[in-house]
Amino acid sequence: MTHDPTPPSPSPAAQASTRPLQEARWALWGLALCLLAGVTAAALGGWQASLMTLGVVASLVLLALTLREQALLKRLARAAEAMAALDLPFLILDSEDRVRWASAAFARLYPGLGVVPVGMRYEELARRAIDSGAIQVPAASRSEWLRQRLQAHAGEGDVRLQPMQDGRTLQVVERRTRLKGWTSVYFDVSALAATEQKLREALEAGQRTQQMLQDALDALPAGFEIWDRDDRLLLFNQRLVELYPGSAEYLRTGVRFDEAARIQLDRGEIPAAVGRESEWLGERLAQRGKLGRPFLIEYAGRWIQVDERRTRNGHLVCVRQDVSELVEARRALSLAQARSERQHRLLEHAIDAMPVAVELYDEQDRLLMVNRMFRSWHPQVDYDSLLGRRFEEMLLEAQSRGMLPVDAAGDPERWMRERLAQRRKAAEPLVQCLPDGRRTLTQEAGTPDGLLVVTRQDVTELVRKEQALSAVHAQLQAIVDTAGVAIATIAEDGRLLSLNQAAARLGQRPLADMLGQPVSSLLAPEVQQAVVEEFNAYLRGQPSALIGRRRELPVLRADGSPGLISAAITEVRSGDERLFVAVFDDITEQRLAETALREANARLEQLSATDPLTGLANRRHLMEQLQRLWLHGQREHSPIAALLIDVDHFKRFNDHHGHQAGDAALQLVATLLQQAARRGTDLAARYGGEEFVLLLDHCDADGARERAEVLRRLLIERALPHGDAPLGRLSVSIGVASLVPVPTLRPEELFSRADAALYRAKDAGRDRVSE
C-alpha cells in the first residue's frame, strides 16, 4: 500500500533550481536591448556612434547580469542553509539525471555513502544506496528492486514507501522541476505506517471475525436472521434459505419483510392465508416481534417454529426451525394417547362387566384395580382406599376385618405365610371357603410384563349341588340370605313370597312382617303407582321396560333418607304358575360418588379456566368468551369492547418492593377489574404477566372509555406506593377498542386494536387511557 498525501510546497532549494530559466530570459532581454541600442545609434549617428552605444549598453547589461548572478548565489546559499537547518533528506537532480545538490540528512540515510558528489548520475546513486544495506530489501532481490526503481524514476513523478533496515518507514516524494530535473524529499512516516498496519490487522481480524460469525450462523441447525428497525433484512444464514425453498431470489440483504411475505403469499405457500392474504399479512405485521414466545407457521406443507425478539436498539432477531417431525410426532402421540385411554376405558368397562371377580396387581404385588363384581362381594370394604397397597397388607386388613377364609381360622399367621409363599407360584386353582359361607375358585395368572391377574368365581352353587339333594334348598336359602344384594321372589299378584336379609334391611321392617306385602311397598311413594301399572300391563301381555332389564328406582332407605336401587326383575315359569325374581342393588352411594365426581370435574374445569394468582379468567377462557361474544355480536349487530390494561413499570415495582408485593399489586388490579365487570357476560381476565383484559358485551367506544377511566381512578384512589416510579404510586395504562363484529373481521382484531391503543397510551407517558 502507498501513501499519496498532498505534495509539500517546493523548498527554497527547489525554487532556486528553477532560477536559471529566468536568468536565461534576462540575458536574452539584455542582448535584445544591446542590439536595439546599436541599431538606433547607427540610424541616428552612424556606425561609430552605434559601436560606442553598443559597448556602453553591453557593459551596463553585463554589470546588471553580474550583480543579479551574485544575488542568486546568495539566495541559493541561504536556501541550502535552510535545508540543512531543517535536517530534511532532500535531493536535486538536473535534466541529465545528475546530482545537483543533496542534503546531509540524505547522506545519513545510507551509511557509508558519505558526501554525495555533485554530478553523480541517479542510477549510480541508487546502486550505492541499495548496496549500503540500509534499505529493507532481500539480497537476492536487490537487482530487481533497482530495475523497478529506475523504471519508476523514468516517469513524471513518484510517491512510494521505502522500508529501512532500522525499522523506519520513509515516504519518498519525487517531482519533476521546470527544467526537467528532479527533486526528491524523504519523510519519516514510521508512526503512520505502524498505525496503518494496526488498522489493516484490525480490519483483517474484523473480517475474519465476521466470516467466523457467518460460518457459525450457517452451521446452525435453525434459520437465523436479523432485521433493522425499518424491517429490512440485515443478516441471515444458509439454513433460512433451505427452510424456504425458492427464496434465494428474494431473500437478500435490504429486502423488506412485507415484500418477502407478499411473495410467499402470492405463491400460496402459506395455507392459513389462502383466500385472506391481506388480512393475514396485516395480522402478521401487527404481531411481529411482540408475542415474546415461539409460534408455528405452516409453510408449503412444513411446520416452522418462529421465535422473534427485539434487541435494545430496535433490531429484530428471528430464529426459525423446522419442527414438522415434532408436530407430526405430537399429533401421533396425542392420537396414540387417546386410543390408549379409550382402550383402557373399554378394558375397565369390560372387566367391570365380567361375571367373575377380578383383581389386578403390579410387579411389586400392589393392588391396581378390582372390578364391580369383587366390590359387590364385600360392599363394606372401601377398595379405593386399598389401591396401591401390597397384597400382604391386604391380608392383614382382611384378618382385622375377619374376612380370611375358614381354613385360616386355626392359625391365621401360618396360613398367611403359606399363602404368601405360594403367591404367583400356584398352577392349580385355589378353592376357599369364605366366612360368609361362599366358596370361591381363585386363579392367578401372570402377564409378560410382571402383572398378576387374579380371578375369583363364586362356586358355592356348584359345591352345594354336589351335596345331598336334601340340603340344596337350605344351602340356596343361605346364599340368598347372605348375599350382598337384595333378592326377592314375587307372586303374580305382586306380593312378596321370599326375601333375603339385604331386602329386609332395604324394607326397614322385620322379615316376617314383609312377607305377603306388595313389592311396591319397598319403593318411594311417588313411583309406587306407576310401577304397579307397568307390572299389570306386562301381565296383560303388553311390552314393559320393568321386566327383563335392569332399571333404577327411587326408594326410602332404612334411615329414612332417599335412596336409589338398581333392580332387575326376571320372570320364572313353573308350570302354570308365574313367578318373578327381583335382584336389587343399593346404588345410592355409587350415584353420590358419580355426582361428586361430576362436581369435581366441574371444579377442575373451573380451575383450568382460572388464573391461579388473581382468580380471574385465564387466557384460554378469555379467547373462548371472545369467540362467543363475537358470534353473538354478529347476530345482534351489537358492539363489544376490550380494555387492555398494563401495570406501569411493574418490573421495577417487583425489583423495588419484592415479588410478594408484586403479587399483591396484581391481585388488587384483579379485584378492581372484577368490580368493573358489571354484566354477566362481561369477563375480566389475566392476559399475561402484568397485562389484563376486560371484555365488555354491548359496549360502545364511549362506554368503554368511561369504564377505563373509572378503573384508572379507582387505582389512583388506592394510592398503592411505587417507590421506583415517576408518580410514586402504582398506575396503569389502558388501551380501549370497540367494534361491531362483522364476518370480514376476525375476533383477534379487537385485541389488536386495543394493543395498538395501549402502546399509544405508553408512548404518551403512561397512567392514561387511549383509543
Side-chain angles (χ1 to χ4, degrees), residues 459-497:
V459 295
T460 306
E461 297 294 336
L462 297 177
V463 172
R464 288 179 178 178
K465 284 181 180 180
E466 295 176 356
Q467 298 176 355
L469 293 177
S470 60
V472 170
H473 179 72
Q475 292 176 347
L476 288 177
Q477 187 62 45
I479 293 175
V480 172
D481 288 340
T482 58
V485 295
I487 303 174
T489 305
I490 307 170
E492 188 174 357
D493 58 0
R495 290 179 298 106
L496 291 169
L497 298 180

Side-chain angles (χ1 to χ4, degrees), residues 480 486-500 503 515 517-520 522 531-532 534-549 567-584:
V480 172
I487 303 174
T489 305
I490 307 170
E492 188 174 357
D493 58 0
R495 290 179 298 106
L496 291 169
L497 298 180
S498 66
L499 293 167
N500 66 353
L515 293 177
Q517 298 296 319
V519 68
S520 59
L522 299 175
V531 171
V532 170
E534 286 189 50
F535 185 76
N536 292 333
Y538 177 78
L539 293 177
R540 292 193 298 269
Q542 299 177 5
S544 174
L546 186 64
I547 307 300
R549 65 181 65 181
I569 303 176
T570 304
E571 181 179 3
V572 179
R573 289 185 177 268
S574 177
D576 296 333
E577 186 180 13
R578 302 179 69 178
L579 299 177
F580 297 87
V581 177
V583 179
F584 306 95

Side-chain angles (χ1 to χ4, degrees), residues 580-755:
F580 297 87
V581 177
V583 179
F584 306 95
D585 286 328
D586 188 347
I587 60 173
T588 306
E589 299 300 329
Q590 177 183 343
R591 289 294 178 264
L592 291 175
E594 291 174 353
T595 301
L597 179 60
R598 285 194 298 272
E599 292 174 353
N601 289 334
R603 288 194 298 271
L604 288 175
E605 177 66 22
Q606 181 182 5
L607 289 175
S608 68
T610 304
D611 176 64
L613 175 63
T614 62
L616 300 181
N618 60 16
R619 190 162 184 162
R620 181 178 71 84
H621 189 191
L622 172 66
M623 300 310 293
E624 292 173 352
Q625 181 68 358
L626 173 62
Q627 187 69 31
R628 287 191 290 268
L629 293 183
W630 189 269
L631 296 175
H632 180 265
Q634 282 186 355
R635 292 192 301 268
E636 302 295 331
H637 302 288
S638 59
I640 60 176
L643 275 59
L644 187 55
I645 302 103
D646 183 81
V647 180
D648 296 330
H649 307 295
F650 185 71
K651 181 179 183 303
R652 287 196 279 175
F653 186 92
N654 267 341
D655 295 341
H656 188 80
H657 297 282
H659 288 281
Q660 288 186 350
D663 290 346
L666 294 180
Q667 290 168 348
L668 172 61
V669 174
T671 300
L672 298 179
L673 276 175
Q674 287 175 328
Q675 295 173 1
R678 300 171 183 171
R679 290 191 176 90
T681 53
D682 293 347
L683 182 66
R686 187 179 183 187
Y687 199 56
E690 65 272 19
E691 288 188 335
F692 299 86
V693 170
L694 183 58
L695 192 60
L696 305 174
D697 189 18
H698 285 83
C699 185
D700 57 14
D702 291 338
R705 189 187 316 107
E706 178 185 356
R707 195 84 62 94
E709 287 293 350
V710 169
L711 179 62
R712 189 179 68 87
R713 288 195 298 271
L714 285 175
L715 187 59
I716 292 174
E717 293 173 359
R718 294 299 180 97
L720 185 64
H722 189 336
D724 194 21
L727 297 176
R729 59 172 174 80
L730 195 69
S731 62
V732 293
S733 299
I734 305 177
V736 175
S738 176
L739 54 79
V740 176
V742 293
T744 57
L745 292 178
R746 292 174 59 83
E748 292 79 3
E749 178 65 20
L750 182 63
F751 286 169
S752 296
R753 296 185 183 185
D755 185 64

Side-chain angles (χ1 to χ4, degrees), residues 69 124 218 222 321 376 389 406 423 601 638 649 666 679 711 716:
E69 181 180 5
E124 179 64 20
D218 287 339
Q321 192 165 5
S376 67
R389 297 179 64 178
V406 176
R423 181 79 167 163
N601 289 334
S638 59
H649 307 295
L666 294 180
R679 290 191 176 90
L711 179 62
I716 292 174

Side-chain angles (χ1 to χ4, degrees), residues 239 242-245 269-271 296-305 321-328 331:
R239 178 56 178 160
E242 296 172 359
L243 286 177
Y244 296 91
E269 294 171 335
I270 303 178
L296 293 177
I297 292 181
E298 185 180 6
Y299 174 85
R302 307 289 292 175
W303 285 98
I304 308 297
Q305 179 177 277
Q321 192 165 5
D322 188 341
V323 294
S324 302
E325 288 76 10
L326 179 60
V327 171
E328 293 302 324
R331 288 179 175 175

Side-chain angles (χ1 to χ4, degrees), residues 13-26:
Q15 293 177 356
S17 68
T18 64
R19 292 297 184 182
L21 180 59
Q22 298 181 14
E23 300 308 316
R25 292 176 180 174
W26 276 98

